[in-house]
Amino acid sequence: MVERRNKPSALATTPGLPPQATVTISHDNSRVTAELPTGETVVVLLHGATVLSWKDAAGDEKLWLSEGAKLDGTKAVRGGIPLVFPVFGAGSNGEATKSLPQHGFARNSRWEFLGKSTSEGDSSNVKLDFGLSSESLSDEYKKAWPYSFGLLYSVTLDRDSLKTNIVITNDGDEPFEFQTLLHTYFRVKDITKVSLDGFDSSPYVDQLEANATKKQSGSITFSSEYDSVYTPPGGPKQPIILKEDGNQRLRIVRDNLDDVVVWNPHIAKAAGLGDFEPKDGWKNMVCIEAGSVSGWQKLDKGDAFEGAQTIHL
Ligand code: BG6
């Protein structure tokens, strides 16, 4: 055997080059996992491009995922970050939305993994890109929403934050209207000790009281079912602070997403959701959903909309 004296060494161990994030695709091609050299991880299911898990370097999970969530593509995922598009809820835009499923089809379609990128020489983050377009929709969804569109969804894992960014383009000749939402399920220790800041004086629509319009006073706290759509007057840059026992746990900053839905199903609603497990899991989650849902965004031919949230530890 010929002895190779100057064997090339692996790139990651080249002196001067810091170790890079690793990105792996599961054997069954159903999910993408990224891990930073410092140990932070994110897992994205191609069904819905749903972020299933986000852990810090200590392995502490930030998102809630139902133990009964269907991860085989037969249903939208109950937990993580499902992506709502092109309609929020049951839809109220007449003909354009009447055939769409609740919260639209994006969370219930298979997305394509487009690849990863890192800011050059920066080992402290990794961006995963996912795409969905009208061509790759099921026939049923194409029929229900016959517009030509493109969605580019980017998930950026940083040492102390997770950013989810959506770009929506109108690739056809017809204008269309849409709503979108990052339906984030946060894991908490005890919902009765959670408070949310950043909503004081905000108008909101209470979906549990026939869409009555109200005004928030002080922090949001939870003692029963909660389902409201807020439009904080400070705009997207006004951070939302999630506190547990009075201590700041997370800070959410939005970009171009004016509305925030706050949802906790409590006992009765959780009992009625077949994929919600364990049944008392409502104690350990709260949905804080950044989006554009109180009106309709209109995109003319060739136009694009971009919105994002960054969740800081
Ligand atoms: C929230 C809505 O965004 O999603 C709630 O405001 C709804 O009304 C909840 O119950 C869950 O919806 P789904 O379709 O995932 O059961």
Side-chain angles (χ1 to χ4, degrees):
M1 202 174 112
V2 182
E3 180 67 21
R4 288 190 66 191
R5 278 165 194 268
N6 298 312
K7 267 201 286 185
S9 54
L11 265 184
T13 59
T14 303
L17 199 78
Q20 301 294 304
T22 52
V23 174
T24 47
I25 301 176
S26 64
H27 287 306
D28 63 356
N29 208 19
S30 68
R31 58 180 75 185
V32 181
T33 300
E35 178 167 7
L36 297 182
T38 37
E40 298 82 357
T41 56
V42 67
V43 181
V44 183
L45 189 73
L46 290 179
H47 184 70
T50 315
V51 177
L52 296 180
S53 162
W54 168 39
K55 290 182 183 166
D56 65 17
D60 188 36
E61 179 62 69
K62 307 299 167 196
L63 303 177
W64 184 84
L65 177 65
S66 165
E67 289 170 16
K70 295 272 179 286
L71 304 179
D72 60 359
T74 55
K75 202 177 184 311
V77 176
R78 175 72 59 203
I81 314 182
L83 187 74
V84 169
F85 175 88
V87 67
F88 168 65
S92 55
N93 211 13
E95 282 299 305
T97 53
K98 77 174 190 338
S99 309
L100 288 171
Q102 154 104 348
H103 288 342
F105 50 68
R107 65 175 184 165
N108 226 343
S109 297
R110 184 173 163 102
W111 291 55
E112 192 185 343
F113 176 46
L114 303 174
K116 62 158 183 174
S117 53
T118 315
S119 324
E120 208 171 319
D122 184 356
S123 61
S124 69
N125 71 69
V126 63
K127 177 162 79 78
L128 307 174
D129 288 333
F130 301 88
L132 179 73
S133 66
S134 26
E135 287 91 67
S136 50
L137 281 189
S138 70
D139 289 344
E140 179 200 350
Y141 292 150
K142 269 187 199 150
K143 213 170 138 211
W145 211 68
Y147 300 100
S148 194
F149 68 89
L151 298 182
L152 173 63
Y153 185 50
S154 303
V155 177
T156 304
L157 174 66
D158 226 301
R159 290 194 62 182
D160 54 8
S161 67
L162 185 77
K163 180 175 183 184
T164 51
N165 190 98
I166 182 80
V167 178
I168 300 164
T169 49
N170 184 344
D171 300 337
D173 295 327
E174 296 291 311
F176 62 71
E177 293 187 319
F178 68 91
Q179 295 172 320
T180 191
L181 188 75
L182 301 162
H183 197 305
T184 312
Y185 288 73
F186 290 98
R187 172 177 288 275
V188 297
K189 287 195 181 72
D190 177 355
I191 188 70
T192 63
K193 295 191 173 139
V194 167
S195 59
L196 307 180
D197 286 353
F199 295 94
D200 189 28
S201 304
S202 175
Y204 68 97
V205 170
D206 189 338
Q207 303 204 100
L208 300 175
E209 282 190 25
N211 290 335
T213 303
K214 302 181 178 178
K215 191 171 175 189
Q216 180 68 28
S217 169
S219 309
I220 297 176
T221 53
F222 301 87
S223 53
S224 56
E225 186 182 352
Y226 211 99
D227 193 355
S228 292
V229 181
Y230 286 82
T231 307
K237 295 285 182 259
Q238 163 86 37
I240 295 164
I241 310 291
L242 189 159
K243 290 182 177 170
E244 285 195 86
D245 254 334
N247 301 314
Q248 179 168 332
R249 275 266 329 276
L250 297 168
R251 182 169 55 94
I252 304 158
V253 178
R254 294 163 289 134
D255 197 357
N256 204 25
L257 298 174
D258 287 342
D259 305 316
V260 183
V261 180
V262 177
W263 180 61
N264 181 278
H266 210 254
I267 305 168
K269 179 97 192 216
L273 295 170
D275 57 355
F276 198 102
E277 293 289 348
K279 283 299 167 207
D280 65 356
W282 58 270
K283 291 177 182 165
N284 303 116
M285 52 75 62
V286 60
C287 282
I288 307 171
E289 314 164 20
S292 178
V293 298
S294 55
W296 294 88
Q297 293 283 346
K298 185 175 177 195
L299 279 187
D300 286 320
K301 175 182 178 174
D303 281 355
F305 170 94
E306 182 164 6
Q309 71 172 0
T310 307
I311 311 161
H312 298 268
L313 297 177

